[in-house]
Amino acid sequence: MNVIRTITFKLQLPDGGSTALLDTMRAYSMAFSASALWGFENHTWNKVENHKATYQAVREAVPDLPSSLVQGARDCACEALKASRCKSLPEQKPLAAMRYNQRVITVNLIHGIATIASVQGRIKATFPISEYHRQYLSWTVTSSTVSYDRRKGVFYLHISMDHPDVEPVQEVRVLGIDRGIVNVAVCSDNSFFNSRRVKNVRAKYAHLRTELQSKGTRSATRKLRRIAGRERRFVTDTNHCIAKQITNSDFTVFALEDLSKIRVQKRRSKSFNRKLNTWSFHELEQFLRYKAEALGKQILQMDARYTSQKCSVCGHTYKGNREGSSFQCRKCGFQLHADLNAARNIAQAGISCLSRLPVNQPNVACR
Ligand SMILES: [Zn+2]
């Protein structure tokens, strides 16, 4: 199984390094435009043809741009043409990100050093390496991108890495996960992720927000923006922790409701829409997927219908089985926390889905 990750570093450049990289970006952008225009006019995204037609002219126009970057720009242009089926002329901002292949950039993840080709020769940049990044030392770098944040005046290095050796876990132990409003996640092994802290923090922000909104001054608006950022980071951090805890458990297959399908359906109760909007479930799902993948584990997406109305013991499905957070089956009398009952249903659906599938399909949707 191949696992691909992109990690980003903030670059520290030597004197004159910024100017050199900015000039390189401008030249790169010219190369991109030349390739894009030729491909657009000749209605092709073929890289070889594009190369034959444009390479010489581009080399003459921007002689200092390393040839490998000329090729990188051409590849990007051809990919953009392909994406639009040549229906529109791909445009790039003058200081857009540049794609480097391994010949024109060397990245040393142990010491945090990158030598980057530019119109003024190679530039030696440094970037801070943390303990966290050590896990990537054995990975293979596949491509690198250098981008520029004009507002901050900062360059970033994005490294795409490939780890081909993740062994898929053979053993199958399915965990059902129900995501909800009161509880961010409830798992079929009886674990709840609600944390009073999450509720308290969110309530605190909600309170602050109403207060500031009622003030309406400019400084209040500024403060509102600041706390919005803080709250978002809190949600992200919490999602990270939950995903980590869940994926590091003994379970090897994680079954989730497919919430993406639901948003497009029209008639949904208010409470369901709130469920979707109050927590960043998509983000939680991304993190779960990301972490599970790296461990060789699987994510299954289940049909979300009736998971909260169905009895996880006898299968009787009835709307009145659930009332708020409590579930009581009208047929067999089984009682349980409603979210936990839903999580068990999701787990069962996951198990029956797996029995119908060939093994080792990492991320599949079951409907
Ligand atoms: Zn029942």
Side-chain angles (χ1 to χ4, degrees):
M1 212 154 77
N2 256 41
V3 178
I4 295 158
R5 291 279 178 277
T6 301
I7 44 177
T8 299
F9 298 101
K10 189 171 159 180
L11 289 177
Q12 278 140 17
L13 296 165
D15 284 347
S18 297
T19 322
L21 277 185
L22 288 175
D23 287 344
T24 313
M25 281 182 161
R26 290 189 192 98
Y28 181 89
S29 182
M30 280 176 67
F32 177 93
S33 302
S35 280
L37 185 64
W38 186 87
F40 180 66
E41 283 176 345
N42 292 281
H43 212 80
T44 175
W45 54 80
N46 185 301
K47 289 175 184 171
V48 181
E49 282 177 31
N50 198 307
H51 177 84
K52 280 186 200 151
T54 60
Y55 185 73
Q56 210 48 48
V58 170
R59 295 280 4 219
E60 279 162 24
V62 280
D64 296 330
L65 189 67
S67 78
S68 184
L69 279 175
V70 176
Q71 290 164 28
R74 178 207 61 215
D75 289 354
C76 286
C78 287
E79 281 156 28
L81 284 164
K82 189 180 176 187
S84 78
R85 299 315 232 192
C86 289
K87 288 206 175 72
S88 60
L89 175 66
E91 282 182 39
Q92 210 185 27
K93 288 183 195 132
L95 299 176
M98 297 184 285
R99 187 190 296 175
Y100 280 82
N101 70 24
Q102 292 327 108
R103 260 175 299 152
V104 271
I105 192 166
T106 49
V107 179
N108 183 328
L109 274 180
I110 299 173
H111 299 109
I113 299 168
T115 44
I116 307 164
S118 80
V119 289
Q120 290 175 28
R122 292 225 166 201
I123 299 167
K124 191 170 167 187
T126 55
F127 51 88
I129 285 282
S130 72
E131 202 49 47
Y132 170 81
H133 294 115
R134 300 217 166 265
Q135 60 176 309
Y136 292 110
L137 289 179
S138 59
W139 294 45
T140 321
V141 178
T142 52
S143 75
S144 314
T145 308
V146 172
S147 71
Y148 179 63
D149 185 327
R150 194 194 294 237
R151 211 163 41 87
K152 292 180 185 158
V154 174
F155 287 91
Y156 294 97
L157 174 64
H158 313 264
I159 311 174
S160 291
M161 313 238 260
D162 187 50
H163 190 17
D165 307 327
V166 177
E167 278 292 314
V169 181
Q170 297 300 333
E171 187 199 6
V172 173
R173 294 193 65 203
V174 180
L175 181 74
I177 303 165
D178 180 65
R179 291 165 286 172
I181 315 168
V182 182
N183 301 301
V184 174
V186 175
C187 302
S188 56
D189 67 341
N190 303 341
S191 50
F192 282 69
F193 294 91
N194 63 338
S195 98
R196 194 148 290 149
R197 190 169 155 256
V198 171
K199 273 187 232 166
N200 289 345
V201 172
R202 301 218 96 197
K204 186 187 91 185
Y205 282 123
H207 177 72
L208 253 172
R209 224 177 2 248
T210 17
E211 257 192 1
L212 288 168
Q213 270 159 354
S214 67
K215 270 189 192 160
T217 59
R218 199 179 297 170
S219 83
T221 317
R222 257 202 312 273
K223 193 156 185 202
L224 264 172
R225 209 173 304 140
R226 220 167 36 234
I227 66 164
R230 221 177 292 157
E231 188 176 11
R232 212 169 35 245
R233 282 192 295 278
F234 168 75
V235 170
T236 302
D237 187 50
T238 311
N239 275 339
H240 253 303
C241 293
I242 296 173
K244 192 171 171 184
Q245 219 169 316
I246 290 177
T247 47
N248 282 342
S249 66
D250 295 340
F251 292 92
T252 60
V253 178
F254 305 99
L256 301 164
E257 298 162 282
D258 185 356
L259 297 179
S260 65
K261 290 278 175 244
I262 291 163
R263 219 171 253 188
V264 285
Q265 289 175 16
K266 282 172 202 127
R267 283 180 340 110
R268 278 285 158 188
S269 69
K270 257 190 195 153
S271 72
F272 205 94
N273 285 332
R274 201 166 54 239
K275 174 172 173 171
L276 284 174
N277 294 330
T278 44
W279 191 260
S280 186
F281 291 107
H282 175 70
E283 186 188 65
L284 176 61
E285 190 173 322
Q286 294 291 98
F287 289 164
L288 281 168
R289 200 174 282 282
Y290 193 92
K291 291 176 201 287
E293 209 182 49
L295 295 166
K297 297 182 176 185
Q298 279 188 64
I299 297 279
L300 290 178
Q301 281 196 322
M302 316 308 307
D303 190 334
R305 282 173 301 173
Y306 310 122
T307 44
S308 61
Q309 300 171 16
K310 187 178 168 186
C311 171
S312 59
V313 172
C314 74
H316 178 58
T317 305
Y318 175 61
K319 212 174 171 184
N321 280 349
R322 177 183 187 157
E323 226 168 88
S325 68
S326 62
F327 182 93
Q328 182 172 16
C329 178
R330 295 299 161 98
K331 198 173 170 194
C332 74
F334 175 68
Q335 281 184 34
L336 195 67
H337 189 287
D339 293 340
L340 190 51
N341 178 66
R344 290 188 187 177
N345 281 329
I346 296 167
Q348 282 169 10
I351 291 165
S352 70
C353 162
L354 277 179
S355 65
R356 298 194 304 268
L357 277 171
V359 271
N360 293 342
Q361 289 198 347
N363 296 309
V364 287
C366 288
R367 253 160 238 119

